[in-house]
Amino acid sequence: MTDKAQLEILIIDDNKVDREAIRRALKGLGYGERAVIHDADSGRGGLEFIARRNVDCVFLDYRLPDMDGLALLKQLYDPKTDLAKSPIVMLTGQGSEAVMLEALRWGAQDYLLKDNITPAALNIALKKAQELFELKQNRRLAEEQLHHMRKLEAVGQLTSGIAHDFNNLLTVVLGNLHLLKEKVEAKPDKIDPEYVLKKIHTMETVARNGADLIKRLMVFTRQRPLQHQVVNVNDCIRNALEILKRSLGETIEIEMKPAKEPWPVLIDPEEFGNVLINMAVNARDAMPKGGRLTIATQNMAIEASREIKAGNYTLVTVSDTGTGMTPEVAQRIFEPFFTTKPAGEGTGLGLSMAYGFVKQSNGHISVESRENAGTTFRIYLPRAETSPEAKTAPAHGRREKNAG
Ligand SMILES: Nc1ncnc2c1ncn2[C@@H]1O[C@H](COP(=O)(O)OP(=O)(O)OP(=O)(O)O)[C@@H](O)[C@H]1O
Ligand SMILES: [Mg+2]
């Protein structure tokens, strides 16, 4: 347990008598000297307090004048950590087992029945909440480290495969150079420009593939934070479309359905461009006979769910009319190196990079796909608090809760 000199305890309850009873019990347990005990008489007041301070434990009454305790929990819940911002003990009346279970699912560590609050029960609940909270935080850190190690391991395993690919690639380039050199040396005045161009074209393609592979690997293994900026997603999409129009081919129709005024988002625009390009290339590959790629943007207020934190999001939808995927494939597409494409044609890093980008942007990504019925990707990016003019780039891309 972190040994702060003084604990901060918050009681959220609109009933003054109940608040005082808890305060008295805590003082009786000796928390009078070790803790600062604050109180709030409404949900909103409680939320505001928690946003400003690091609270070591919150006692939260289920019945509040402006919102119920669950609604408050949902606002504090972060799906990324599966925790609220602080340890929480929910206080409920008799006969509300369903509420208690829900509270535990939404980030509370424990609950107490209001009728049986004794100092001993209070003390145990407080300690348990703090300990469970910290355990979960630590487990989360360990999981992140493990994830990174796994990633590096996968990269390590790939190295020999990549060395092999690169060797093949260099063989093609060297072979073609050799042929050209022979031709030039043998008959310098009888060179067929078409033949020369064909060889150059082959070498160019192969070298590009190699450069592309290396670039992706470098992006994938880096740990540096992204370069976040406040941007308008429509601008990013239009930039990407400039490149895409030329490279997707004539059989694919591209449609953009932009929101009139999309909410600004705090993202790395270059990385976002890469994500869009990979998705469009995936869509092209899924539409060998042609089809339609649609990129749409939309503002959306989202209620809390287990997958996504409640709030305002700018939603970017990328859909195609291609072959779609089986549920087995759809389940694995965000895994690094997962690909269904023949060797040399796909690294399987495209969507895992998209996933990484979205997570680092505090957003969410989902896929909906059916065989022979096309695929839709949805990228939810949290609304930034500042306007696009103010191009602030915080060091690590994480925003303060109440900024702006
Ligand atoms: N729009 C889509 N339609 C059908 N299948 C898709 C679509 N997008 C992705 N997939 C499937 O997901 C797999 C993983 O995609 P991802 O972009 O991560 O890698 P890749 O395209 O195979 O390789 P790379 O992106 O490195 O060229 C693809 O191999 C394909 O099976
Ligand atoms: Mg791809």
Side-chain angles (χ1 to χ4, degrees), residues 216 278 282 341 350-351:
R216 279 154 177 265
N278 174 61
N282 285 349
K341 295 174 189 172
L351 287 177

Side-chain angles (χ1 to χ4, degrees), residues 216 278 282 286 320 325 333 338-341 346-348 350-351 375:
R216 279 154 177 265
N278 174 61
N282 285 349
D320 64 58
M325 295 171 242
I333 51 171
F338 175 81
T339 179
T340 56
K341 295 174 189 172
T347 59
L351 287 177
T375 300

